[in-house]
Amino acid sequence: MEQQPMGTSIEQSINNRYSIWVREALDELPHSFTITDPLISGHPIVFASREFLKMSGYSREEVIGKNGRMFQGSRTNRRSVMEIRDAIREERSIQVSLLNYHKNGTPFWILFHMFPIFSKEDGRVIHFVGVQVPITPKPRRSGSEFSRIEMNLCENGSGFRDTVLGFCRREVCSDTVAELGRISNLDQVLTDDTELHHTACKVSDLEKRRVNTAISNIVSMLTHYSESTGRLVSDKRCCPSNMSLVGASLNISLGRIKQSFVLTDPHKSDFPIVYASDAFLELIGYGRHEVLGRNCRFLSGKETDVSTDLQITNSIQTGKACTVCILNYRKDGSPFWNFLHMSPIRNASGKIAYFVEVQMDLNCGSHENKNLRPEIRQLSVVGAVKVAVRSSGMIATTSDS
């Protein structure tokens, strides 16, 4: 079966939620920002504004589909990066000063504000918006010699000229280092990353107001265009968090598992699918929005053995694992024999949180890890899912404490 391009998922991420016209409208906003989708494997950028592309120096083709890590570099504060990751796991907003890099390799400071966009229907996170406002460098008051040097221009490897002041850390070229070496106390001035973060790159009230204005305009635009599709969004969770399909943290962890599988929720009516892997969508030909919230029975057809469906239902009701061979149907109507293994997945407290269903097309002879029996490959997926679910539960417990 022909594999669905990742670009299709990225395009649908925006179009299905806000309409095909929203990109043009968002590009008219005078703000630098990106939109990412935690439901797609790798949490890629699905939209980058025109102002953001100007600021970073990248083209839209170079950015869409990539993770935001591409703008970080050797001097990016790892503590700030971890704070952003924690905010994604906990599905909340965060604001930090961050050192990013232009395409030509030169660093620049931004005030980075990231916030989630929620579905009004079920309260789950569907996107994260990352607003970037450049931080205007402030001169350090550490003596006339250093202040004078801060204003010097230096040449880097790409021929780009910038101020040492704008780098706020040891982002200086070799000839400037030689000049700074004449300062007797250079190490004391430049070695403390934390001190520099709070002094030379201090955020002004104007920059904070620019962030707030951008947030307001972006949320207003996304809310307006979601009304045209009837799939309303908000920057505030409108439903209890337990109404979400699965959290962003678990989505990201599960996205690293490349085999075909789904998670179903035995605690909800009719055991709906709450997570579907990319490989599963490729196998059946459906889009993610056509799968989530449905019972796996929709893959059955007129030739499917009813007794096999009943065996699966009984497995869920008794909380036990089972393996069956069932005739399923793709979206285009073509049948395939699905070697299906399902197993309960327990959370960190030992209670059944989900069922995982691992699919294998017996009609397809090309599988990864051919040297392993199908049962072993399926059990490896179950093990990986168990680790992801339990780790996610422990993160949530730690965050709540």
Side-chain angles (χ1 to χ4, degrees), residues 197-363:
H197 178 80
H198 291 295
T199 55
C201 295
K202 184 178 179 181
V203 179
S204 69
D205 290 339
L206 175 61
E207 289 153 353
K208 291 179 181 179
R209 288 196 297 271
R210 287 175 177 169
V211 164
N212 292 334
T213 300
I215 294 171
S216 177
N217 290 341
I218 295 167
V219 169
S220 177
M221 186 76 70
L222 294 179
T223 302
H224 170 73
Y225 276 88
S226 71
E227 293 173 355
S228 65
T229 64
R231 307 182 72 188
L232 303 182
V233 301
S234 172
D235 61 331
K236 296 178 177 59
R237 198 189 293 273
C238 302
C239 303
S241 59
N242 60 5
M243 290 291 290
S244 177
L245 297 187
V246 296
S249 171
L250 182 54
N251 260 296
I252 294 171
S253 297
L254 294 175
R256 301 188 181 105
I257 305 172
K258 302 306 179 184
Q259 289 81 3
S260 173
F261 72 96
V262 298
L263 280 191
T264 61
D265 191 338
H267 306 291
K268 293 182 179 178
S269 175
D270 205 27
F271 312 117
I273 297 171
V274 293
Y275 179 87
S277 72
D278 290 343
F280 173 74
L281 300 176
E282 293 164 8
L283 173 64
I284 64 173
Y286 286 88
R288 184 169 276 105
H289 67 285
E290 299 174 295
V291 168
L292 294 180
R294 302 178 70 178
N295 186 286
C296 288
R297 283 192 307 273
F298 80 94
L299 294 175
S300 298
K302 59 183 180 180
E303 300 295 331
T304 302
D305 189 342
V306 177
S307 64
T308 307
D309 274 333
L310 292 176
Q311 188 177 346
I312 294 171
T313 301
N314 182 65
S315 175
I316 296 175
Q317 291 173 344
T318 59
K320 296 180 180 179
C322 79
T323 302
V324 298
C325 190
I326 184 171
L327 186 66
N328 281 158
Y329 292 81
R330 299 184 178 92
K331 184 176 181 179
D332 62 9
S334 61
F336 68 99
W337 282 102
N338 182 5
F339 183 54
L340 174 68
H341 176 80
M342 61 184 305
S343 176
I345 300 295
R346 301 180 185 275
N347 57 24
S349 63
K351 297 180 180 179
I352 295 178
Y354 306 102
F355 269 82
V356 60
E357 300 186 18
V358 187
Q359 301 83 14
M360 195 167 292
D361 182 4
L362 294 183
N363 301 331

Side-chain angles (χ1 to χ4, degrees), residues 52 69 126 136 146 148 213 245 281 309 349 351 368 388:
F52 173 81
R69 290 188 302 269
I126 54 170
T136 304
F146 189 61
R148 177 179 60 80
T213 300
L245 297 187
L281 300 176
D309 274 333
S349 63
K351 297 180 180 179
E368 294 182 2

